[in-house]
Every structure is written in C-alpha cells, then in structure tokens.
Amino acid sequence: MPNTYYITTPAYYVNALPHIGTAYTTLMADTLARFMRLDGRDVVFVSGTDEHGQKVETMANTLGQEPQAYTDEMSQHFRRLCDVLNCDQVRFVRTSEARHKKTVQAFWERLVNAGEIYEGAYKGWYSVRDEAFYNEDELVDGMAPTGTEVAWIEEPCFFFRLSKWRDRLVEFYNENRDAIQPNYRFNEVLSFLSGDVHDLCVSRSTFKWGVPVPGHKDHVVYVWVDALPYYLTALGYIEGDARFQDYWRESHHLIGKDILRFHTVYWPAMLMAIGLEPPRQVFAHGWWTNEGKKISKSAGNTIDPFEAVESYGADQIRYFMAREVAFGRDADYSIVALTRRINSDLANDYGNLCQRVLSFVEKHMGGKCLAELDDLTPEDIKIQTQSQELLMKVREAAEAKALQKMAEHIWDLIGEANRYIDAQAPWSLRKTDFKRMEVVLTMLVDVIRHVAVLSQPIVPHAAAKLLDALSIAKELRTFEHLQKSLHRHNQGALVRAPGSLFPRIDSSK
Ligand code: MSP
C-alpha cells in the first residue's frame, strides 16, 4: 500500500486579509507535511481560499467591486502568505476556479442521483458571518451561539437528507475513535448527534455569488457545500485521478474548533451519501488570543502574519506557535512570551550551542570530526542514545499531531547537549587531553546533526543553514540517512561555523 499522507487546511474566506488564525493552521499543516515528506511519505498538502457566498459578495458590494475581481485580488494574499511562512509544495486551490465549480456540480449531481436532495423552503435563522443556519433553540440572547448576529430568512431551497445519516455517523465514530481529534472534541460531536439532527439547507436563492445548482439557475450551492468538496478538487476526484483513493485513505483535515460540526457531521454525511469514506481524521485546534484578549476586527486587535514574519522571522513564528501550546488547546500570542522563546530557546539554547561547537571544531580541529567513538563514558553513551532515540520520539509525536511535543523532544536534546558541553568543558580539555576533546566535540557535532535534521519541519530556514554548515548534501537530509554515522552522512567533508542562526530580540524595545 502506498505510504501516502494527505493534509489540508480550511479554504480561507476572502472577505478579510489573512490573520494569525489562518497563518496558524497553515503553519502546523506545513510542519506536519514537511515531517512526513522527510520521513519518506508521499505527501499532498492543500490550502486555498473559499471565495463564494453571501459574506464575500456583501464585502465586494460594500467596496463597490465585482466579486470575481475582488476575490482574484484577495486570494493572492493567502497564496503569498504560504510563501512568506516558508511553506513547502502547497497545492493551492481557489473555489472560484473552473475545475472546482465542476467538482461541486458533479458532487451535487451525485447527491441528487442518490436521492439525497429534495426541494423545499427554509424558514429560520442565518448568520452571514458564520455562513451557518441555526435552530431557534441554539440562539443565545438572540445571537448565534458563536456570538455573531443572526437574521431571519425565508427562501426556497434544496435540502440534504442529513437526518438520515445520523445513526451511521454515530456508528462510524464509535468504530473510529481517532477520526476526531483531540479526544475531547469527540464528545462534542457525539452530543450534537444525539440531539435533533435536521436536514440541511444546501442552496441559497436570494443572491448570486456562488456555484449555480445544476438545472436550477435561480439557486446557488450553499457555501459550505461548495467549500468542503475543495478537498476533493485538489485530488482530481471528479477527473477520476487514479491516485485519488491512495491519498483519500490517509486524509487529515486540520481545522479550527469553530468549524468542527461542518467537518465532522455535514461533510462525512455527504461523503457517505455518495459512497465515499469520511476523512481519516479531523483535528480541531484551539484559538489564539492577543495578549489575553479575544481577537476581533471590531476590537481592532487582529495580528497581521506578514508583519509578524517581517519583525521576527518565519522560523521564529513557526517555532513559537508550535511550541507555545499543546496543539488543540487555546493559546495566547504575547510579545513577552514570543521574545522569550526566541531569545532563550532559539538564540541561546539552539543557536549558541551550534555556533559554539561548530566554530570550536572549525578552529581547533580543522573542521574534521574523525575521532573514534569506541572508548565512551556513561555521559557520552547517555547523550548518544538520546540522539539516536530522537527520531522515534518525534515521529510518534508527529503521527499524533502533537506539534508541541515534537518541539519539546528536540529541545530536550538541545538542553542535554548544553549541559554536556558545560560538564565536559572541551575548552579545558584542549590543554589537558586533546584526544578526549576530539571525542567530546565529535559527540556534540553528532547531536547537532540529529537536531538539525529533525528540526527541519519546524525551523526549515535555520536547519538548512546548519545542514549546510555540517556539509550534508541536500539529497541526504531525509530521516533515513540519520542512522548513518556522521562521517558517512556528510561523506567526510569538513564542518564549519553556521553563523548566527537566530538573532536575539532586544526586549527593551
Ligand atoms: N471558509 C471556512 C472554511 C471552509 S473549509 C472547507 C472558514 N474560513 S475562515 O477563514 O473563517 O476560517 C479559517 C480558520 O481560521 C478556521 O479554522 C478558524 O478556526 C481559524 N481561526 C480564525 N481565528 C482564529 C484565531 N484567533 N485563532 C486560531 N484560529 C482561528 O471558516
């Protein structure tokens, strides 16, 4: 069976510029995609923009622009963000692309042919901000449960027989406990499914900006039924791509906790209705606050990811967001915490270690790490074992999407290496026992090699610089080469100081 991995971000709405929440999902997805690629898997990583619907149409109208021209321009910011965040090999899909519209219409027709769609009229509450329908009993003080405004709408529409799939979904989730992650989200979905599940309105007929319902030009497909199949468009499902099933079997959707129901109820039900398996896993992450406050456009406290990268660097933001919080939980974006992570974890612990060790080797050993490692002390063996076990530990964390753990394992080894260097004091050994000094430094360079190779998914830019300094060829940077000895890995080439990997932030500013 092919060793595939299909990882996705939501298709982001283009009614506003990218914010830290959109950057977060994209970054975590890229980190996992990079990890799996380096671990020898055949990865497809998809991100994109959700361009239809009432919310986007309203925004374009407000700005006096045609929706298409507006989305053409807005979508570029999201695409550019992928580059700015240093994402690798993103397959970027726009929902206004012709191939996607074809997918949505074919998806719709399959639902119709399966007898899953019927005509009716919707009468009830709708939140344009959420692009979601709400039952009367879900409202809280006249607002949506998410706190957004709702309006009463009455319009002809088509319904999807969602209620019919309720029991099948419950059964599916009871048999596939890890299909919803983290575990604590599972109950949330099951509790929704244990209530009254109504059929879902899947078309709108009071505005035009959407994919026309086949055979009913006065309806456009409801924006979620338009957006969700973007996960299929990206794999060439409608075109009958021969590899579709290989990837779909290993499909992992990363989303924010607010869009859990769309992904774990509506989406799998529609997939089952046309004879497809639900996604392999939906992982819902938490929300970021800004210095402890809820982020909102109206409060004017949104965080611009372009500015964040410009000020601190992409590696730094990537590391901070992965490390700061257990993936799944809410987190706080605080400049003090960010600065501390950069100065302490990155500049001091990681950067200084590498610079200290490698410049020492360059200066006093001519860049050669040729010491025989056969007469080792218990301290040597301890750190050597820890480096050799690092891949296994980080892999286990990556498989579980425990991004914080991935970083913790790597930084534990970095911490160990810093303690080892202080305890072994190679600068003193230089005068007393040059041979032992060479062993200690060779050990340390080997630890750095493990750290460099395994930190590529998190801090790709710095790791590449470090691997260059270790003279490890580009094609030898995948995990399978880690088991070689350092000398075989870099083919005996010289190592040199990497220079500054992570500049310190002046926290007084
Ligand atoms: N268009 C839909 C998704 C369709 S997927 C088939 C959508 N788009 S969105 O742009 O509004 O949201 C994108 C993601 O950003 C969501 O996963 C949401 O959880 C996330 N975030 C928005 N604000 C956030 C924070 N403050 N923190 C973390 N993530 C947040 O929903």
Side-chain angles (χ1 to χ4, degrees):
M1 212 189 276
N3 197 5
T4 52
Y5 193 74
Y6 178 38
I7 186 148
T8 64
T9 76
Y12 302 117
Y13 285 129
V14 291
N15 66 308
L17 289 169
H19 49 69
I20 205 69
T22 49
Y24 183 47
T25 327
T26 302
L27 276 185
M28 299 306 106
D30 181 62
T31 303
L32 292 173
R34 281 178 181 268
F35 182 93
M36 297 302 169
R37 251 180 236 126
L38 289 165
D39 208 15
R41 293 176 75 164
D42 173 2
V43 176
V44 171
F45 167 26
V46 166
S47 187
T49 42
D50 185 354
E51 305 184 4
H52 291 131
Q54 196 172 356
K55 174 153 86 170
V56 172
E57 188 187 77
T58 307
M59 184 51 88
N61 287 344
T62 310
L63 297 170
Q65 291 187 29
E66 283 302 317
Q68 189 64 62
Y70 171 70
T71 55
D72 284 347
E73 198 231 304
M74 289 300 284
S75 169
Q76 292 308 313
H77 297 287
F78 290 85
R79 192 185 284 264
R80 190 165 63 83
L81 183 64
C82 295
D83 296 333
V84 166
L85 297 171
N86 195 10
C87 295
D88 189 27
Q89 303 171 54
V90 187
R91 202 178 276 185
F92 195 91
V93 177
R94 298 181 53 190
T95 60
S96 69
E97 282 172 54
R99 65 176 173 145
H100 177 69
K101 292 189 211 163
K102 249 175 64 190
T103 305
V104 174
Q105 290 187 323
F107 187 76
W108 181 280
E109 275 163 349
R110 284 176 201 194
L111 287 170
V112 171
N113 293 340
E116 297 285 341
I117 301 262
Y118 63 92
E119 209 165 348
Y122 179 79
K123 230 193 223 186
W125 299 102
Y126 192 77
S127 158
V128 178
R129 274 271 295 286
D130 300 348
E131 295 281 19
F133 303 94
Y134 290 107
N135 299 333
E136 182 79 39
D137 59 8
E138 286 180 289
L139 303 190
V140 182
D141 299 331
M143 309 281 264
T146 53
T148 62
E149 269 176 34
V150 289
W152 183 260
I153 62 172
E154 292 187 14
E155 59 189 63
C157 80
F158 289 92
F159 285 94
F160 164 61
R161 298 187 194 281
L162 180 65
S163 55
K164 172 181 151 188
W165 292 94
R166 184 178 85 164
D167 295 349
R168 262 300 281 126
L169 281 173
V170 172
E171 194 181 301
F172 172 79
Y173 286 127
N174 281 323
E175 283 164 8
N176 297 274
R177 288 255 161 190
D178 70 343
I180 302 170
Q181 287 292 318
N183 283 330
Y184 48 85
R185 296 280 167 216
F186 186 85
N187 293 342
E188 205 176 306
V189 176
L190 270 274
S191 120
F192 174 77
L193 288 171
S194 68
D196 258 351
V197 175
H198 301 285
D199 287 348
L200 179 70
C201 171
V202 288
S203 75
R204 299 289 314 272
S205 51
T206 47
F207 62 92
K208 288 269 161 269
W209 181 235
V211 178
V213 168
H216 298 271
K217 294 231 162 349
D218 43 342
H219 288 255
V220 292
V221 176
Y222 168 45
V223 66
W224 275 97
V225 178
D226 167 343
L228 288 161
Y230 121 103
Y231 300 127
L232 301 180
T233 304
L235 295 182
Y237 167 66
I238 293 301
E239 291 86 354
D241 193 300
R243 307 229 37 214
F244 171 78
Q245 282 297 351
D246 292 343
Y247 294 109
W248 189 248
R249 202 185 315 112
E250 268 305 318
S251 50
H252 300 255
H253 297 324
L254 295 194
I255 59 164
K257 62 182 182 181
D258 54 317
I259 53 177
L260 187 65
R261 189 185 301 175
F262 300 99
H263 282 82
T264 56
V265 178
Y266 303 165
W267 181 224
M270 289 189 291
L271 287 166
M272 286 172 172
I274 62 161
L276 281 176
E277 281 291 304
R280 161 97 175 66
Q281 187 176 84
V282 175
F283 191 107
H285 63 68
W287 273 47
W288 287 81
T289 49
N290 182 358
E291 306 290 352
K293 300 218 170 59
K294 190 174 177 235
I295 298 176
S296 77
K297 260 210 283 187
S298 51
N301 66 345
T302 55
I303 298 165
D304 176 354
F306 295 101
E307 251 175 57
V309 169
E310 176 81 32
S311 309
Y312 300 99
D315 277 354
Q316 286 80 346
I317 300 293
R318 296 174 69 103
Y319 173 73
F320 172 68
M321 299 199 98
R323 179 68 196 260
E324 196 59 12
V325 63
F327 197 45
R329 300 283 177 191
D330 292 340
D332 186 39
Y333 190 94
S334 111
I335 297 300
V336 170
L338 173 59
T339 307
R340 199 176 48 228
R341 288 280 180 208
I342 293 174
N343 287 346
S344 157
D345 301 11
L346 295 177
N348 285 356
D349 298 348
Y350 191 169
N352 279 356
L353 169 76
C354 299
Q355 185 61 15
R356 263 211 296 179
V357 170
L358 295 180
S359 62
F360 200 93
V361 171
E362 186 176 5
K363 204 156 148 207
H364 301 296
M365 292 161 61
K368 288 189 210 133
C369 296
L370 299 172
E372 294 290 341
L373 297 181
D374 37 33
D375 201 9
L376 299 182
T377 67
E379 291 75 28
D380 299 343
I381 292 172
K382 183 174 167 215
I383 197 157
Q384 189 181 51
T385 311
Q386 210 173 327
S387 326
Q388 286 164 353
E389 286 173 351
L390 187 62
L391 169 60
M392 191 191 70
K393 288 187 182 159
V394 181
R395 181 186 282 142
E396 196 183 312
E399 295 289 350
K401 302 188 181 66
L403 286 123
Q404 184 185 43
K405 268 261 161 313
M406 290 170 73
E408 275 171 6
H409 288 313
I410 298 169
W411 263 260
D412 282 350
L413 181 58
I414 291 172
E416 199 61 46
N418 277 310
R419 283 187 289 279
Y420 176 83
I421 197 172
D422 289 342
Q424 303 295 325
W427 40 89
S428 318
L429 287 173
R430 190 163 74 88
K431 291 170 205 129
T432 56
D433 187 348
F434 198 82
K435 244 184 123 200
R436 172 69 194 152
M437 179 208 82
E438 286 186 308
V439 171
V440 167
L441 264 309
T442 303
M443 293 292 304
L444 280 163
V445 174
D446 204 44
V447 172
I448 290 177
R449 173 176 74 106
H450 282 82
V451 166
V453 169
L454 283 162
S455 64
Q456 294 176 90
I458 304 177
V459 286
H461 182 73
K465 223 168 136 183
L466 194 49
L467 289 162
D468 288 345
L470 293 172
S471 295
I472 293 176
K474 296 247 171 350
E475 65 282 8
L476 301 181
R477 294 178 183 185
T478 51
F479 301 153
E480 65 184 314
H481 297 285
L482 256 188
Q483 7 172 332
K484 294 176 180 163
S485 65
L486 164 68
H487 194 58
R488 283 194 48 228
H489 197 178
N490 77 354
Q491 299 164 330
L494 301 184
V495 307
R496 54 186 164 73
S500 165
L501 293 175
F502 304 102
R504 287 182 66 83
I505 305 287
D506 180 352
S507 48
S508 63
K509 281 191 190 150

